């Protein structure tokens, strides 16, 4: 059974991430969305909150599960008996970071492949940071994130910043 891990901070998940997940779900018989417990980013949402925001979207795929991991991603992949890591490349600007991360992961565990998919170009400028920046000033984020995330952002930023 071909199994891939889709790792990320997902703080919070966006429609861009979900586009990558849809592609992974088409290609693999098993997909694990792996929410990084500590990725050095000081996330706004706890791991449990991030998982809870992914689960309703992931539920449409019976072969997708959502979980968390800590430590090295490749060690998690080996423990899960996964064949590959899948990541999205939104634009050329993603390439250098993703390329270096894939090469480092290959150095650490040569048997774990990294595959890249291109999300729909309508998401090329979406990022979790930008979505949070729009939300903090009370802007409309419903074009970028599922309703459960938009609601959570409203609760996190009840008063628009000035
Ligand atoms: N659509 C929209 N946005 C996307 C996206 C897509 N398809 N793909 C990535 N992004 C954005 C995210 O919103 C996020 O934006 P932000 O920086 O503003 O928060 C950014 O691109 C990347 O986030 P994400 O996809 O969530 O992944 P990440 O880069 O935060 O995750 C890990 C990195 C967790 C995979 C990596 O740090 C890791 O593996 N850590 C474990 C430790 C380890 O093994 N380290 C060694 C690796 S060399």
């Amino acid at each position: 059974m071909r199994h891939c891990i889709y790792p990320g901070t997902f703080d919070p998940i966006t429609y861009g991430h979900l586009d990558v997940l849809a592609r992974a779900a088409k290609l693999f018989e098993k997909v694990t969305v792996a929410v990084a417990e500590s990725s050095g980013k000081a996330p706004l949402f706890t791991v449990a909150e991030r998982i809870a925001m992914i689960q309703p979207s992931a539920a449409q795929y019976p072969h997708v599960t959502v979980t968390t991991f800590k430590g090295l991603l490749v060690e998690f992949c080996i423990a899960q008996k996964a064949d590959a890591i899948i990541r999205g490349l939104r634009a050329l600007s993603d390439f250098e970071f993703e390329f270096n991360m894939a090469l480092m992961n290959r150095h650490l565990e040569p048997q774990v492949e990294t595959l890249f998919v291109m999300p729909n170009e309508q998401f090329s400028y979406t990022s979790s940071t930008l979505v949070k920046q729009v939300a903090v000033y009370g802007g409309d984020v419903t074009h970028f994130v599922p309703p459960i995330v938009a609601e959570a952002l409203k609760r996190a930023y009840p008063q628009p910043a000035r």
Side-chain angles (χ1 to χ4, degrees):
M1 185 189 280
R2 290 287 172 198
H3 176 195
C4 84
I5 306 285
Y6 179 26
T9 308
F10 303 115
D11 184 48
I13 189 112
T14 68
Y15 284 137
H17 289 125
L18 291 173
D19 180 289
V20 173
L21 178 60
R23 291 171 204 279
K26 245 194 275 176
L27 292 170
F28 286 86
E29 293 157 294
K30 183 174 174 192
V31 179
T32 301
V33 180
V35 177
E37 193 168 284
S38 151
S39 67
K41 279 190 168 178
L44 171 66
F45 296 106
T46 65
V47 167
E49 288 169 332
R50 284 179 271 152
I51 290 176
M53 286 188 277
I54 300 169
Q55 256 155 356
S57 301
Q60 66 186 293
Y61 310 108
H63 58 305
V64 172
T65 53
V66 187
T67 188
T68 182
F69 77 102
K70 54 182 166 187
L72 284 178
L73 174 61
V74 285
E75 286 179 2
F76 176 74
C77 292
I78 297 292
Q80 296 288 312
K81 298 185 175 31
D83 305 286
I85 295 165
I86 197 157
R87 294 281 291 170
L89 278 181
R90 288 164 298 170
L92 205 55
S93 50
D94 282 343
F95 182 77
E96 196 175 350
F97 173 73
E98 294 295 339
F99 185 73
N100 289 340
M101 193 161 71
L103 287 180
M104 179 59 82
N105 283 333
R106 177 184 283 171
H107 169 83
L108 294 169
E109 280 299 345
Q111 71 266 45
V112 179
E113 288 294 342
T114 301
L115 302 179
F116 296 103
V117 293
M118 281 187 297
N120 191 307
E121 62 274 14
Q122 78 182 100
F123 303 119
S124 60
Y125 63 97
T126 310
S127 78
S128 302
T129 300
L130 285 183
V131 166
K132 284 181 282 190
Q133 271 180 26
V134 172
V136 82
Y137 291 106
D140 179 11
V141 294
T142 53
H143 182 72
F144 305 108
V145 295
I148 190 173
V149 176
E151 287 303 318
L153 285 166
K154 257 192 212 155
R155 284 195 300 276
Y157 303 121
Q159 299 293 327
R162 290 282 166 237

